[in-house]
Amino acid sequence: MDADKLAEHVVERTISARIPDAGLAYRTRIHAGGLDPFQPTDDPKSAQVRLTVGSDDLVAMARDELNPAKAWATGRLKIEASIFDLLRLRKLL
């Protein structure tokens, strides 16, 4: 997504990504300039937007082999966030 379109839809939020089968969790911040680097976290539940995904599905999404919207719709990607954040996120997917 180009920077102008991203800035139009993004509000600064903290995001965590939990990969339960690997026992890992990471945290980042999304903002109009993009994403900050991911950092390991011990408290993924404190993020405003929380993603949970298996390691195989995460790799498939990173390789563009699995669409995030389809992964969410089929339960392979779980997203916990406020209704307003979910609506914004939908525009980015």
Side-chain angles (χ1 to χ4, degrees):
M1 179 176 290
D2 67 49
D4 290 336
K5 186 168 180 140
L6 181 68
E8 180 181 321
H9 296 291
V10 171
V11 174
E12 184 173 319
R13 292 286 184 260
T14 56
I15 299 174
S16 68
R18 194 170 66 86
I19 305 106
D21 60 324
L24 299 171
Y26 295 92
R27 186 178 174 110
T28 189
R29 184 177 63 94
I30 191 169
H31 47 85
L35 282 174
D36 288 346
F38 282 85
Q39 301 291 326
T41 184
D42 293 329
D43 188 17
K45 292 189 177 205
S46 67
Q48 294 163 310
V49 177
R50 296 165 303 284
L51 310 174
T52 303
V53 64
S55 58
D56 291 340
D57 291 330
L58 179 62
V59 170
M61 285 189 292
R63 291 182 176 165
D64 287 330
E65 297 168 357
L66 176 62
N67 180 295
K70 183 177 180 180
W72 174 77
T74 58
R76 295 164 70 179
L77 170 65
K78 293 180 178 50
I79 304 172
E80 298 173 78
S82 73
I83 187 69
F84 299 111
D85 287 338
L86 288 172
L87 291 172
R88 283 188 200 101
L89 188 58
R90 188 186 91 213
K91 292 178 184 177
L92 297 176
L93 296 177

Coordinates of all heavy atoms in Angstrom, one line a residue:
M1 N 0.9 -1.2 0.0 CA 0.0 0.0 0.0 C 0.9 1.2 0.0 O 1.9 1.3 0.7 CB -0.9 -0.1 1.2 CG -1.8 1.1 1.4 SD -2.9 1.0 2.8 CE -4.0 -0.3 2.2
D2 N 0.6 2.2 -0.8 CA 1.4 3.4 -0.9 C 1.2 4.3 0.4 O 0.2 4.1 1.1 CB 1.1 4.2 -2.1 CG -0.2 4.8 -2.2 OD1 -0.7 5.5 -1.2 OD2 -0.9 4.7 -3.3
A3 N 2.2 5.1 0.7 CA 2.2 5.9 1.9 C 1.0 6.8 2.1 O 0.5 6.9 3.2 CB 3.5 6.7 2.0
D4 N 0.5 7.4 1.0 CA -0.6 8.3 1.1 C -1.9 7.6 1.5 O -2.6 8.0 2.4 CB -0.9 9.1 -0.2 CG 0.2 10.1 -0.5 OD1 0.9 10.5 0.5 OD2 0.4 10.4 -1.7
K5 N -2.1 6.4 0.9 CA -3.3 5.6 1.2 C -3.2 5.1 2.7 O -4.2 5.1 3.4 CB -3.5 4.5 0.3 CG -4.7 3.7 0.5 CD -5.0 2.8 -0.7 CE -6.3 2.1 -0.4 NZ -7.2 1.9 -1.5
L6 N -2.0 4.6 3.1 CA -1.8 4.2 4.4 C -2.1 5.3 5.4 O -2.8 5.1 6.4 CB -0.3 3.7 4.6 CG 0.0 3.1 6.0 CD1 -0.7 1.8 6.3 CD2 1.5 2.9 6.1
A7 N -1.6 6.5 5.2 CA -1.8 7.6 6.1 C -3.3 7.9 6.2 O -3.7 8.4 7.3 CB -1.0 8.8 5.7
E8 N -4.0 7.7 5.2 CA -5.4 8.0 5.2 C -6.2 7.1 6.1 O -7.2 7.5 6.7 CB -6.0 7.9 3.7 CG -7.4 8.1 3.5 CD -7.8 7.9 2.1 OE1 -7.0 8.3 1.2 OE2 -8.9 7.3 1.8
H9 N -5.8 5.9 6.3 CA -6.5 4.9 7.0 C -6.0 4.6 8.4 O -6.6 3.9 9.2 CB -6.7 3.6 6.2 CG -7.5 3.8 5.0 ND1 -8.8 4.0 5.0 CD2 -7.1 3.7 3.7 CE1 -9.3 4.1 3.7 NE2 -8.2 3.9 2.9
V10 N -4.7 5.0 8.6 CA -4.0 4.5 9.9 C -4.1 5.5 11.0 O -3.9 6.7 10.8 CB -2.6 4.2 9.6 CG1 -1.8 3.9 10.8 CG2 -2.5 3.0 8.6
V11 N -4.5 5.0 12.1 CA -4.4 5.8 13.4 C -3.3 5.1 14.2 O -3.3 3.8 14.2 CB -5.8 5.8 14.1 CG1 -5.6 6.4 15.5 CG2 -6.8 6.5 13.2
E12 N -2.5 5.8 14.9 CA -1.4 5.2 15.7 C -2.0 4.2 16.7 O -2.9 4.5 17.5 CB -0.6 6.2 16.4 CG 0.6 5.6 17.1 CD 1.5 6.7 17.7 OE1 1.8 7.7 17.0 OE2 2.0 6.4 18.8
R13 N -1.5 3.0 16.6 CA -2.0 1.9 17.5 C -0.8 1.0 17.8 O 0.1 0.8 17.0 CB -3.1 1.0 16.9 CG -4.4 1.7 16.7 CD -5.1 1.9 18.0 NE -6.4 2.5 17.8 CZ -6.7 3.8 18.0 NH1 -5.7 4.6 18.4 NH2 -7.9 4.2 17.9
T14 N -0.9 0.3 19.0 CA 0.1 -0.7 19.3 C -0.5 -2.0 18.8 O -1.7 -2.2 18.9 CB 0.4 -0.8 20.8 OG1 -0.8 -1.0 21.5 CG2 1.1 0.4 21.3
I15 N 0.3 -2.9 18.3 CA -0.1 -4.2 17.7 C 0.7 -5.3 18.3 O 2.0 -5.2 18.3 CB 0.0 -4.2 16.2 CG1 -0.9 -3.1 15.6 CG2 -0.4 -5.6 15.6 CD1 -0.8 -3.0 14.1
S16 N 0.1 -6.4 18.7 CA 0.9 -7.6 19.1 C 0.5 -8.7 18.2 O -0.6 -8.8 17.7 CB 0.6 -7.9 20.6 OG -0.7 -8.4 20.7
A17 N 1.5 -9.5 17.9 CA 1.3 -10.7 17.1 C 1.8 -11.9 18.0 O 2.9 -12.0 18.4 CB 2.1 -10.7 15.8
R18 N 0.8 -12.8 18.3 CA 1.2 -14.0 19.1 C 1.1 -15.2 18.2 O 0.2 -15.4 17.5 CB 0.1 -14.1 20.3 CG 0.6 -15.0 21.3 CD -0.4 -14.9 22.5 NE -1.7 -15.4 22.3 CZ -2.1 -16.6 22.3 NH1 -1.3 -17.6 22.7 NH2 -3.4 -16.9 22.1
I19 N 2.2 -16.0 18.4 CA 2.3 -17.3 17.6 C 2.4 -18.4 18.6 O 3.5 -18.8 19.1 CB 3.6 -17.3 16.7 CG1 3.6 -16.0 15.8 CG2 3.6 -18.5 15.8 CD1 4.5 -15.0 16.2
P20 N 1.2 -18.9 19.0 CA 1.1 -19.8 20.2 C 1.9 -21.1 19.9 O 2.5 -21.6 20.9 CB -0.3 -20.1 20.4 CG -1.1 -19.4 19.3 CD -0.1 -18.6 18.5
D21 N 1.9 -21.7 18.7 CA 2.6 -23.0 18.5 C 4.1 -22.8 18.6 O 4.8 -23.8 18.8 CB 2.2 -23.6 17.2 CG 2.5 -22.8 16.0 OD1 2.3 -21.6 16.1 OD2 2.8 -23.4 14.9
A22 N 4.6 -21.6 18.5 CA 6.1 -21.4 18.6 C 6.4 -20.8 20.0 O 7.6 -20.6 20.3 CB 6.5 -20.5 17.5
G23 N 5.4 -20.4 20.8 CA 5.6 -19.8 22.1 C 6.2 -18.4 22.0 O 6.9 -18.0 22.9
L24 N 5.9 -17.7 20.9 CA 6.4 -16.4 20.7 C 5.3 -15.3 20.7 O 4.2 -15.6 20.3 CB 7.2 -16.3 19.4 CG 8.4 -17.3 19.3 CD1 8.9 -17.3 17.8 CD2 9.5 -16.9 20.2
A25 N 5.7 -14.1 21.0 CA 4.9 -12.9 20.9 C 5.7 -11.7 20.5 O 6.8 -11.6 21.1 CB 4.1 -12.7 22.1
Y26 N 5.2 -10.9 19.7 CA 5.9 -9.7 19.2 C 5.0 -8.5 19.3 O 3.8 -8.6 19.3 CB 6.5 -9.8 17.8 CG 7.5 -10.9 17.7 CD1 7.1 -12.2 17.4 CD2 8.8 -10.6 17.9 CE1 8.1 -13.2 17.3 CE2 9.8 -11.6 17.8 CZ 9.4 -12.9 17.5 OH 10.3 -13.9 17.4
R27 N 5.6 -7.3 19.4 CA 4.9 -6.1 19.5 C 5.5 -5.0 18.6 O 6.7 -5.0 18.4 CB 4.9 -5.6 21.0 CG 4.1 -4.4 21.3 CD 4.2 -4.0 22.8 NE 3.6 -2.8 23.1 CZ 2.5 -2.8 23.8 NH1 1.9 -3.8 24.3 NH2 1.9 -1.6 24.1
T28 N 4.6 -4.2 18.0 CA 5.0 -3.1 17.2 C 4.0 -2.0 17.3 O 3.1 -2.0 18.1 CB 5.1 -3.6 15.7 OG1 5.7 -2.5 14.9 CG2 3.8 -3.9 15.1
R29 N 4.3 -0.9 16.6 CA 3.4 0.2 16.5 C 3.2 0.6 15.1 O 4.1 0.7 14.3 CB 4.1 1.4 17.3 CG 3.2 2.6 17.4 CD 4.0 3.7 18.2 NE 5.2 4.1 17.6 CZ 5.3 5.2 16.8 NH1 4.3 5.9 16.5 NH2 6.4 5.5 16.2
I30 N 1.9 0.8 14.7 CA 1.6 1.2 13.4 C 1.2 2.7 13.4 O 0.6 3.2 14.4 CB 0.4 0.4 12.8 CG1 0.3 0.7 11.3 CG2 -0.9 0.6 13.5 CD1 -0.7 -0.3 10.5
H31 N 1.6 3.4 12.4 CA 1.4 4.9 12.4 C 1.4 5.3 10.9 O 1.7 4.4 10.0 CB 2.4 5.6 13.2 CG 3.8 5.2 13.0 ND1 4.6 5.7 11.9 CD2 4.6 4.3 13.6 CE1 5.8 5.1 12.0 NE2 5.8 4.2 13.0
A32 N 1.2 6.5 10.6 CA 1.1 7.0 9.2 C 2.4 6.7 8.5 O 2.3 6.5 7.3 CB 0.8 8.5 9.2
G33 N 3.5 6.6 9.1 CA 4.8 6.3 8.5 C 5.0 4.8 8.2 O 6.0 4.5 7.6
G34 N 4.1 4.0 8.7 CA 4.3 2.5 8.5 C 4.4 1.8 9.9 O 3.7 2.2 10.8
L35 N 5.1 0.7 9.9 CA 5.3 -0.1 11.1 C 6.7 0.1 11.7 O 7.7 0.2 11.0 CB 5.1 -1.6 10.8 CG 3.8 -2.1 10.5 CD1 3.9 -3.6 10.1 CD2 2.9 -2.1 11.8
D36 N 6.7 0.2 13.0 CA 8.0 0.1 13.7 C 8.5 -1.3 13.6 O 7.8 -2.2 13.4 CB 7.9 0.6 15.1 CG 7.6 2.1 15.3 OD1 7.8 2.8 14.3 OD2 7.3 2.5 16.4
P37 N 9.8 -1.5 13.9 CA 10.3 -2.9 13.9 C 9.6 -3.7 15.0 O 9.2 -3.2 16.1 CB 11.8 -2.7 14.3 CG 12.2 -1.3 13.9 CD 10.9 -0.5 14.1
F38 N 9.4 -5.0 14.8 CA 8.8 -5.9 15.8 C 9.8 -6.2 16.9 O 11.0 -6.4 16.6 CB 8.3 -7.2 15.1 CG 7.0 -7.0 14.4 CD1 7.0 -6.6 13.0 CD2 5.8 -7.4 15.0 CE1 5.8 -6.5 12.4 CE2 4.7 -7.3 14.3 CZ 4.6 -6.8 13.0
Q39 N 9.3 -6.2 18.1 CA 10.2 -6.5 19.3 C 9.5 -7.6 20.1 O 8.3 -7.6 20.2 CB 10.3 -5.2 20.2 CG 10.9 -4.0 19.5 CD 12.4 -4.3 19.2 OE1 13.1 -4.9 19.9 NE2 12.8 -3.7 18.1
P40 N 10.2 -8.5 20.6 CA 9.6 -9.6 21.4 C 8.9 -8.9 22.6 O 9.3 -7.9 23.1 CB 10.8 -10.4 21.9 CG 11.9 -10.1 21.0 CD 11.7 -8.7 20.5
T41 N 7.8 -9.5 23.1 CA 7.1 -9.0 24.2 C 6.6 -10.1 25.1 O 6.4 -11.2 24.6 CB 5.9 -8.2 23.8 OG1 5.2 -7.6 25.0 CG2 4.9 -9.0 23.0
D42 N 6.6 -9.8 26.4 CA 6.0 -10.8 27.4 C 4.6 -10.5 27.7 O 3.9 -11.3 28.4 CB 6.8 -10.7 28.7 CG 8.2 -11.2 28.5 OD1 8.5 -12.1 27.7 OD2 9.1 -10.7 29.2
D43 N 4.0 -9.4 27.2 CA 2.7 -9.0 27.5 C 1.9 -8.6 26.2 O 1.6 -7.4 26.0 CB 2.7 -7.8 28.4 CG 1.3 -7.4 29.0 OD1 0.4 -8.3 28.9 OD2 1.2 -6.3 29.5
P44 N 1.6 -9.6 25.3 CA 0.9 -9.2 24.1 C -0.5 -8.7 24.3 O -1.0 -8.0 23.5 CB 0.9 -10.6 23.3 CG 1.0 -11.6 24.4 CD 1.9 -11.0 25.5
K45 N -1.1 -9.0 25.4 CA -2.5 -8.6 25.7 C -2.6 -7.1 26.0 O -3.7 -6.6 25.9 CB -3.1 -9.4 26.8 CG -3.3 -10.9 26.4 CD -4.1 -11.6 27.4 CE -4.3 -13.0 26.9 NZ -5.5 -13.7 27.5
S46 N -1.5 -6.4 26.2 CA -1.6 -5.0 26.5 C -1.7 -4.1 25.2 O -2.0 -2.9 25.3 CB -0.4 -4.5 27.3 OG 0.8 -4.7 26.5
A47 N -1.5 -4.8 24.0 CA -1.6 -4.0 22.8 C -3.1 -3.7 22.5 O -4.0 -4.4 22.9 CB -1.0 -4.8 21.7
Q48 N -3.2 -2.6 21.7 CA -4.6 -2.2 21.3 C -5.2 -3.1 20.3 O -6.4 -3.3 20.2 CB -4.6 -0.7 20.8 CG -4.2 0.2 21.9 CD -3.7 1.6 21.4 OE1 -2.9 1.6 20.5 NE2 -4.3 2.6 21.9
V49 N -4.4 -3.7 19.4 CA -4.8 -4.6 18.4 C -4.0 -5.9 18.6 O -2.8 -5.8 18.6 CB -4.6 -4.1 17.0 CG1 -5.0 -5.1 15.9 CG2 -5.4 -2.8 16.8
R50 N -4.7 -7.0 18.8 CA -4.0 -8.3 19.1 C -4.3 -9.3 18.1 O -5.4 -9.6 17.8 CB -4.4 -8.8 20.5 CG -4.0 -7.8 21.6 CD -4.7 -8.0 22.9 NE -6.1 -8.0 22.9 CZ -6.9 -6.9 22.8 NH1 -6.3 -5.7 22.7 NH2 -8.2 -6.9 22.8
L51 N -3.2 -9.8 17.4 CA -3.3 -10.9 16.4 C -2.8 -12.2 17.0 O -1.8 -12.2 17.7 CB -2.5 -10.5 15.2 CG -2.7 -9.1 14.6 CD1 -1.7 -8.8 13.5 CD2 -4.1 -8.9 14.1
T52 N -3.5 -13.3 16.6 CA -3.0 -14.6 17.0 C -3.1 -15.4 15.7 O -4.1 -15.5 15.1 CB -3.9 -15.2 18.1 OG1 -3.9 -14.4 19.2 CG2 -3.4 -16.6 18.5
V53 N -1.9 -16.1 15.4 CA -1.8 -16.9 14.2 C -0.8 -18.0 14.4 O 0.2 -17.8 15.1 CB -1.5 -15.9 13.0 CG1 -0.1 -15.3 13.2 CG2 -1.6 -16.7 11.7
G54 N -1.1 -19.1 13.8 CA -0.1 -20.2 13.8 C 1.1 -19.9 13.0 O 1.0 -19.1 12.0
S55 N 2.2 -20.5 13.2 CA 3.5 -20.2 12.5 C 3.4 -20.5 11.0 O 3.8 -19.7 10.2 CB 4.6 -20.9 13.2 OG 4.4 -22.3 13.2
D56 N 2.7 -21.6 10.7 CA 2.6 -22.0 9.2 C 1.8 -21.0 8.5 O 2.1 -20.6 7.4 CB 2.0 -23.4 9.1 CG 2.9 -24.5 9.5 OD1 4.2 -24.2 9.6 OD2 2.4 -25.6 9.8
D57 N 0.7 -20.5 9.1 CA -0.2 -19.5 8.5 C 0.5 -18.1 8.4 O 0.4 -17.4 7.4 CB -1.5 -19.4 9.2 CG -2.3 -20.6 9.1 OD1 -2.2 -21.3 8.0 OD2 -3.1 -20.9 10.0
L58 N 1.3 -17.8 9.4 CA 2.1 -16.5 9.4 C 3.1 -16.6 8.2 O 3.1 -15.6 7.5 CB 2.8 -16.3 10.7 CG 3.6 -15.1 10.8 CD1 2.8 -13.8 10.7 CD2 4.4 -15.1 12.1
V59 N 3.8 -17.7 8.0 CA 4.7 -17.8 6.9 C 4.0 -17.7 5.6 O 4.4 -17.0 4.7 CB 5.5 -19.1 7.0 CG1 6.3 -19.3 5.7 CG2 6.4 -19.0 8.2
A60 N 2.8 -18.4 5.5 CA 2.0 -18.3 4.3 C 1.5 -16.9 3.9 O 1.6 -16.5 2.8 CB 0.8 -19.3 4.4
M61 N 1.1 -16.1 5.0 CA 0.7 -14.7 4.7 C 1.9 -13.9 4.3 O 1.8 -13.0 3.4 CB 0.0 -14.2 6.0 CG -1.4 -14.7 6.2 SD -2.3 -13.9 7.5 CE -1.4 -14.4 8.9
A62 N 3.1 -14.1 4.9 CA 4.3 -13.3 4.6 C 4.7 -13.6 3.1 O 5.2 -12.7 2.5 CB 5.4 -13.7 5.5
R63 N 4.4 -14.8 2.7 CA 4.8 -15.2 1.3 C 3.7 -14.8 0.3 O 3.8 -15.2 -0.9 CB 5.1 -16.6 1.2 CG 6.4 -17.0 1.9 CD 6.6 -18.5 1.8 NE 7.9 -18.9 2.4 CZ 8.2 -20.1 2.6 NH1 7.4 -21.1 2.4 NH2 9.4 -20.4 3.2
D64 N 2.6 -14.2 0.7 CA 1.4 -13.9 -0.1 C 0.8 -15.1 -0.6 O 0.2 -15.1 -1.7 CB 1.8 -12.9 -1.2 CG 2.0 -11.5 -0.8 OD1 1.4 -11.1 0.3 OD2 2.8 -10.8 -1.4
E65 N 0.9 -16.2 0.1 CA 0.2 -17.5 -0.3 C -1.1 -17.6 0.5 O -1.9 -18.5 0.1 CB 1.1 -18.7 0.1 CG 2.4 -18.7 -0.7 CD 3.4 -19.7 -0.1 OE1 3.1 -20.4 0.9 OE2 4.5 -19.8 -0.7
L66 N -1.3 -16.8 1.5 CA -2.6 -16.8 2.2 C -3.0 -15.4 2.5 O -2.3 -14.6 3.0 CB -2.4 -17.5 3.6 CG -3.6 -17.6 4.6 CD1 -4.8 -18.3 4.0 CD2 -3.2 -18.2 5.9
N67 N -4.2 -15.1 2.0 CA -4.8 -13.8 2.2 C -5.2 -13.6 3.6 O -5.9 -14.4 4.2 CB -6.0 -13.6 1.2 CG -6.6 -12.3 1.3 OD1 -7.2 -11.9 2.4 ND2 -6.6 -11.5 0.2
P68 N -4.8 -12.5 4.3 CA -5.1 -12.2 5.7 C -6.7 -12.2 5.9 O -7.1 -12.7 6.9 CB -4.5 -10.9 6.0 CG -3.4 -10.7 5.1 CD -3.9 -11.4 3.8
A69 N -7.4 -11.7 5.0 CA -8.9 -11.6 5.2 C -9.5 -13.0 5.1 O -10.3 -13.4 5.9 CB -9.5 -10.8 4.1
K70 N -8.9 -13.9 4.3 CA -9.4 -15.3 4.2 C -9.0 -16.0 5.5 O -9.7 -16.8 6.0 CB -8.9 -16.0 2.9 CG -9.3 -17.4 2.8 CD -8.8 -18.0 1.5 CE -9.4 -19.4 1.4 NZ -8.9 -20.1 0.2
A71 N -7.8 -15.8 5.9 CA -7.3 -16.4 7.1 C -8.2 -16.0 8.3 O -8.5 -16.9 9.2 CB -5.8 -16.0 7.4
W72 N -8.5 -14.8 8.4 CA -9.4 -14.3 9.5 C -10.8 -15.0 9.3 O -11.4 -15.4 10.3 CB -9.5 -12.8 9.4 CG -10.5 -12.3 10.4 CD1 -10.4 -12.2 11.8 CD2 -11.9 -11.9 10.1 NE1 -11.6 -11.7 12.3 CE2 -12.5 -11.5 11.3 CE3 -12.6 -11.8 8.9 CZ2 -13.8 -11.0 11.4 CZ3 -13.9 -11.3 9.0 CH2 -14.5 -11.0 10.2
A73 N -11.4 -15.0 8.1 CA -12.7 -15.5 7.9 C -12.8 -17.0 8.2 O -13.8 -17.5 8.6 CB -13.1 -15.3 6.5
T74 N -11.7 -17.7 8.1 CA -11.7 -19.2 8.3 C -11.1 -19.5 9.7 O -11.0 -20.7 10.0 CB -10.8 -19.9 7.3 OG1 -9.5 -19.4 7.3 CG2 -11.4 -19.7 5.9
G75 N -10.9 -18.5 10.5 CA -10.4 -18.7 11.9 C -8.9 -19.0 12.1 O -8.5 -19.3 13.2
R76 N -8.2 -18.9 11.0 CA -6.7 -19.2 11.1 C -6.0 -18.0 11.6 O -4.9 -18.1 12.1 CB -6.2 -19.6 9.7 CG -6.8 -20.9 9.3 CD -6.7 -21.2 7.8 NE -5.3 -21.4 7.4 CZ -5.0 -21.7 6.2 NH1 -5.9 -21.8 5.2 NH2 -3.7 -22.0 5.9
L77 N -6.6 -16.8 11.5 CA -6.0 -15.6 12.1 C -7.1 -15.0 13.0 O -8.2 -14.7 12.6 CB -5.7 -14.6 11.0 CG -5.4 -13.1 11.4 CD1 -4.1 -13.1 12.2 CD2 -5.3 -12.2 10.2
K78 N -6.7 -14.8 14.3 CA -7.7 -14.2 15.2 C -7.3 -12.7 15.5 O -6.1 -12.4 15.6 CB -7.7 -15.0 16.5 CG -8.3 -16.4 16.3 CD -8.3 -17.1 17.6 CE -8.9 -18.5 17.4 NZ -8.5 -19.3 16.4
I79 N -8.2 -11.8 15.5 CA -8.0 -10.4 15.7 C -8.8 -9.9 16.8 O -10.1 -10.1 16.8 CB -8.2 -9.6 14.4 CG1 -7.4 -10.1 13.3 CG2 -7.9 -8.1 14.7 CD1 -7.8 -9.5 11.9
E80 N -8.2 -9.3 17.8 CA -8.9 -8.7 19.0 C -8.6 -7.2 18.9 O -7.5 -6.8 19.0 CB -8.5 -9.3 20.3 CG -8.7 -10.8 20.5 CD -8.1 -11.3 21.7 OE1 -8.6 -11.1 22.8 OE2 -7.0 -11.9 21.6
A81 N -9.7 -6.4 18.8 CA -9.5 -5.0 18.8 C -10.9 -4.3 18.9 O -11.9 -5.0 18.9 CB -8.9 -4.6 17.4
S82 N -10.9 -3.0 19.1 CA -12.1 -2.3 19.2 C -12.8 -2.4 17.9 O -12.2 -2.6 16.8 CB -11.9 -0.8 19.6 OG -11.4 -0.1 18.5
I83 N -14.1 -2.1 17.8 CA -14.9 -2.2 16.6 C -14.4 -1.1 15.6 O -14.3 -1.4 14.4 CB -16.4 -2.0 16.8 CG1 -17.2 -2.2 15.6 CG2 -16.7 -0.6 17.4 CD1 -17.2 -3.6 15.0
F84 N -13.9 0.0 16.1 CA -13.4 1.1 15.2 C -12.1 0.7 14.6 O -11.8 0.9 13.4 CB -13.3 2.4 16.0 CG -14.6 2.9 16.5 CD1 -14.8 2.9 17.9 CD2 -15.6 3.3 15.7 CE1 -16.0 3.4 18.4 CE2 -16.8 3.8 16.1 CZ -17.0 3.8 17.5
D85 N -11.2 0.0 15.4 CA -10.0 -0.5 14.9 C -10.2 -1.6 13.9 O -9.5 -1.7 12.9 CB -9.0 -1.0 16.0 CG -8.5 0.2 16.8 OD1 -8.4 1.3 16.3 OD2 -8.1 0.0 18.0
L86 N -11.2 -2.5 14.1 CA -11.5 -3.5 13.2 C -11.9 -3.0 11.8 O -11.6 -3.5 10.8 CB -12.6 -4.5 13.8 CG -12.1 -5.4 14.9 CD1 -13.3 -6.1 15.5 CD2 -11.1 -6.4 14.4
L87 N -12.7 -1.9 11.9 CA -13.2 -1.3 10.6 C -12.0 -0.7 9.9 O -12.0 -0.8 8.6 CB -14.3 -0.3 10.9 CG -15.6 -0.9 11.4 CD1 -16.5 0.3 11.9 CD2 -16.3 -1.7 10.3
R88 N -11.1 0.0 10.6 CA -10.0 0.6 9.9 C -9.1 -0.5 9.4 O -8.6 -0.4 8.3 CB -9.2 1.4 10.9 CG -9.7 2.7 11.2 CD -8.7 3.5 12.1 NE -9.4 4.6 12.7 CZ -9.8 4.6 14.0 NH1 -9.5 3.5 14.8 NH2 -10.5 5.6 14.5
L89 N -8.9 -1.6 10.1 CA -8.0 -2.7 9.7 C -8.6 -3.4 8.4 O -7.8 -3.8 7.6 CB -7.9 -3.7 10.8 CG -6.9 -4.8 10.7 CD1 -5.5 -4.3 10.4 CD2 -6.9 -5.7 11.9
R90 N -9.9 -3.5 8.4 CA -10.5 -4.1 7.2 C -10.1 -3.4 5.9 O -9.9 -4.0 4.9 CB -12.0 -4.0 7.4 CG -12.8 -4.8 6.3 CD -14.3 -4.7 6.5 NE -14.6 -3.5 5.6 CZ -15.6 -2.7 5.9 NH1 -16.3 -2.9 7.0 NH2 -15.9 -1.7 5.1
K91 N -10.0 -2.0 6.0 CA -9.6 -1.3 4.8 C -8.2 -1.6 4.4 O -7.8 -1.4 3.2 CB -9.8 0.2 5.1 CG -11.2 0.6 5.2 CD -11.4 2.1 5.6 CE -12.8 2.4 5.8 NZ -13.0 3.8 6.2
L92 N -7.3 -1.9 5.4 CA -5.9 -2.2 5.0 C -5.7 -3.7 4.5 O -4.7 -3.9 3.8 CB -5.1 -2.1 6.3 CG -5.0 -0.6 6.9 CD1 -4.2 -0.6 8.1 CD2 -4.4 0.3 5.8
L93 N -6.6 -4.6 4.8 CA -6.5 -5.9 4.4 C -7.0 -6.0 2.9 O -6.7 -6.8 2.2 CB -7.3 -6.9 5.3 CG -6.8 -7.0 6.7 CD1 -7.8 -7.9 7.5 CD2 -5.4 -7.5 6.8

